[in-house]
Amino acid sequence: MKFNESWLRKWVNPDLSSADLIEQITMAGLEVDATEPVAGVFSGVVVGEITAIEQHPNADKLSVCQVSTGTENIQVVCGAPNARAGLKAPFATLGAVLPGEAGDNKGFKIKKTKLRGVESCGMLCAQTELQAGDDASGLWELPEEAPVGTALEDYLQLNDTVIELDLTPNRSDCLSIKGIAREVGVLNRSAVNNAVIEPVPASVDDSFPVALEAGAQCPRYAGRVIRNIDIGRPSPLWLRERLRRCGLRSIDPVVDVTNYVLLELGQPMHAFDLNTLAGGIVVRMAKSGETLTLLDGQDVTLNPDTLVIADREKALAMAGIMGGMASAVNANTRDVFLESAFFAPTALAGRARSYGLHTDSSHRFERGVDFRLQEQALERATRLLLDIVGGEPGPLIVTEDKAQIPAARQVTLRRARIGAGLGLEMDAAEVEDILTRLGLEKRAVDEQGWTFEVPSYRFDIAIEADLLEELARIYGYNRLPTTSVTGDLALRARTETKIGLTPVRRQMVARGYQEVITYSFVEPGLVSLFDPEAQPVALQNPISADMSVMRTSLWPGLVKTLQHNLNRQQERVRLFETGLRFVRTDKGLVQEPVLAAAIYGARFAENWTEKTEKVDFYDIKGDLESVLELTGASETFSFSADTYPGLHPGQCAAIDKAGKTVGYLGAVHPRIQHQLELTHPVYLFEITQAAVLDSALPEFKKLSKFPEVRRDLAFIIDQNVAVGAISKAVRSMAGNYLEELKVFDLYVGKGIDPHRKSVALGLTFQHPSRTLNDDEINASVDTVVKGLEVEFNATLR
């Protein structure tokens, strides 16, 4: 919101300097984003009148003017195309100092000079030469009634400041001079000089019918016919100047008045050329495929969720956003239909942006406009138009859908909440004074607190905390006491049966992985690659087509990140992520935390001591097993050959815990690898966090001081027998003194049946209280050998 200080001070004029006023507004939550003078610094510029003009004898584009300052006529050479006898314009006399270039504080001094042989003793000025506007097309034309010889700064009251507020979206009530004045009045306990707006009596009976087909989106619509206006009359200088200082340019009297009311009262308005309308106004939703040429010349195809103002034949305007070209007021307009409406903020939120538009009207309607302001704005605009362009007004007609008009809101404030929320005890009289001055009406008072009715222009007050905020703002944030937060902080018990994600992350990083965070929404095609049977949840409003469904696994995000790194010459990649996957079940949508990882490329980072070997299935399996060791119950996990749609059918394992599958591990399916254009295999795992984070309760076990005894055994077994099954069997057969079991060799090839393999096991025995003898060790080994022979048809190698 941009406004000029002098206009604000006509409404409310506290005894504050400009700097103090700006600081006060900012501290009240209406942040001042920028300030600037309404014109550059100059001196010696007066209102001048061209009394005579003739062609320059030596230049086609120059004129020789006689300029009156009220006391003398001065010869000036001028090149402006609009210079003419009788024109009044700013005149810089000899010795005058005009604003310099940006950053130049010296200014430009006017001296006597000759232009093409003709003496010039001053300078007629354009707006840009005084840094008082953007119009550089010609001289700044002043009104005929401008007093010749008067200092321009005094005549136009240029000792003024433009203030720009950066309002938060909830403070739509301050998007007007009236709203800002209301705030300043409350802050300073100053009277606010509201504009006197009296009903304009109708001089003709003409009206235009209005139908609300979209009452929920537009509950109130006020309109008035004004006939026989003279649009050829210019807008008065005071109106053009106020618009300019608020960042708007003058267009024509009708548009200028509607813009002025928008700035003054905060109510956007629009005027239609009455003679272009057919049948009556209809407020409705746009029809599919309906088109409209906007005032800026842009042709748009309207979406069905766009509210439009139409007549009985066509759409006339995008409601609350921008009018249409076909019904716009123009130089030939004699009759207008003036409208002022209330649109529900939710009906307009985001609509302008969907068409690449942002207007002063949409900015206000999206945030909320007072639903009781329409008649007042219409009366104000009518009076201004009649004063400027004349005309004959018809009766003011208001069409309402009463059921859709916002209901009055009441909010209760408890006395106890003031001390708890603001840190001070506030006198009841001061509480009532502040809130009533803000426009709230006291409805009930008791020992517990107050109940206030919220004014229609305060969309941001709905709960008790909002009233506390208002008290703090007006009382003064800098006056609130500074207190230290105190409280009893009970230490939560830290269970030893949970290890937390931090140790897991540290372990993965220690193994050379980098943690990534990917989007929870992914491309549908990528989900179907890894799990064709998955039914991902589709987003109603996706960021893009390749991020339109919720992930059912972390693998798609990891693979996309892997591709991103490979495309940037990172040939060795190790990634992991902790996050949610979203899976449909019989009980509905389940958000399940999981841990996932991916590896690709060389086994070791490039160095001169290691051979260049590619990672394989056992690399990522070993990394996962190192994480499972953190649980203290790694023996409860097992790996078994399995199949999964997105994994290689020969390199896929299910991860089981206590007989339940908790994840999968393996190489990416060759089909997916080819489709993703990956040169080497990618190895992945994904496991539920619940399985990884559950830890066995640590239990002390006395260390034995007696020697260990190791026996190494190599067995020939069928290739389809899993080594895990053998290890499990050995542990059950070897007795209570088996401390450690290791698989230290696996061999297939020459000297062994092609259908069989050699598995070498290292068995370590230890007794807690004595030294084991050979007979005990041999008995355990014999039991293992015979047991494996019976169960797996294994033979000693």
Side-chain angles (χ1 to χ4, degrees), residues 198-203 224 378-380 382-384 386 393-396:
E198 296 180 351
V200 177
S203 59
R224 164 176 271 161
L378 203 55
E379 297 286 11
R380 177 65 165 159
T382 301
R383 174 50 59 196
L384 289 170
L386 295 182
L396 191 153

Side-chain angles (χ1 to χ4, degrees), residues 267-507:
Q267 172 67 54
M269 302 182 66
H270 187 67
F272 296 104
D273 186 329
L274 183 62
N275 296 319
T276 65
L277 308 184
I281 292 292
V282 181
V283 184
R284 59 172 172 80
M285 306 306 294
K287 299 174 182 177
S288 180
E290 194 169 17
T291 60
L292 178 65
T293 301
L294 300 175
L295 284 173
D296 62 0
Q298 179 183 354
D299 293 321
V300 296
T301 300
L302 300 171
N303 300 321
D305 63 348
T306 301
L307 185 67
V308 297
I309 309 299
D311 60 16
R312 293 298 176 180
E313 297 178 354
K314 59 190 179 298
L316 304 172
M318 293 171 64
I321 300 174
M322 187 179 291
M325 183 72 76
S327 59
V329 173
N330 55 66
N332 299 317
T333 298
R334 292 294 174 267
D335 306 319
V336 297
F337 178 72
L338 203 58
E339 69 158 16
S340 176
F342 169 71
F343 302 114
T346 54
L348 266 68
R351 299 299 186 274
R353 190 164 55 253
S354 68
Y355 294 95
L357 299 172
H358 182 268
T359 64
D360 289 316
S361 292
S362 67
H363 186 80
R364 286 162 173 78
F365 278 126
E366 287 178 343
R367 288 156 175 76
V369 171
D370 185 355
F371 56 86
R372 295 176 179 169
L373 187 59
Q374 289 68 53
E375 298 98 310
Q376 187 181 20
L378 203 55
E379 297 286 11
R380 177 65 165 159
T382 301
R383 174 50 59 196
L384 289 170
L385 280 176
L386 295 182
D387 291 343
I388 298 170
V389 296
E392 301 169 351
L396 191 153
I397 304 298
V398 179
T399 306
E400 292 182 327
D401 185 341
K402 294 185 181 297
Q404 300 296 337
I405 294 176
R409 287 165 292 140
Q410 292 189 351
V411 181
T412 297
L413 174 62
R414 292 167 291 172
R415 299 175 191 269
R417 285 293 298 146
I418 299 175
L422 302 184
L424 82 162
E425 297 299 327
M426 190 175 291
D427 185 71
E430 186 170 13
V431 171
E432 294 180 10
D433 176 62
I434 290 175
L435 295 181
T436 53
R437 283 189 291 118
L438 282 168
L440 287 87
E441 295 185 20
K442 186 171 59 177
R443 293 303 187 197
V445 182
D446 56 29
E447 294 181 356
Q448 301 299 318
W450 304 264
T451 297
F452 292 93
E453 183 171 317
V454 180
S456 57
Y457 51 81
R458 289 303 298 268
F459 284 78
D460 60 316
I461 298 179
I463 59 176
E464 186 179 39
D466 297 329
L467 296 182
L468 289 176
E469 181 183 0
E470 294 303 296
L471 290 175
R473 282 194 323 107
I474 305 305
Y475 181 80
Y477 291 123
N478 53 350
R479 295 176 60 197
L480 295 178
T482 301
T483 56
S484 299
V485 177
T486 59
D488 295 330
L489 301 179
L491 296 177
R492 293 183 299 173
R494 183 175 178 180
T495 175
E496 293 184 88
T497 58
K498 295 288 183 181
I499 61 175
L501 278 175
T502 299
V504 173
R505 291 189 175 110
R506 288 175 178 166
Q507 179 66 16

Side-chain angles (χ1 to χ4, degrees), residues 9 54 84 107 127 154 171 244 283 321 335 375 396 410 413 427 429 437 514 549 577 589 628 719-720 774 787:
R9 287 189 180 273
E54 60 183 22
R84 62 186 183 275
Q127 281 187 352
D154 294 338
R171 291 310 306 270
R244 180 185 72 81
V283 184
I321 300 174
D335 306 319
E375 298 98 310
L396 191 153
Q410 292 189 351
L413 174 62
D427 185 71
R437 283 189 291 118
Q514 289 183 309
V549 299
E577 181 175 11
L589 182 66
L628 301 182
Q719 285 204 21
N720 60 357
D774 287 343

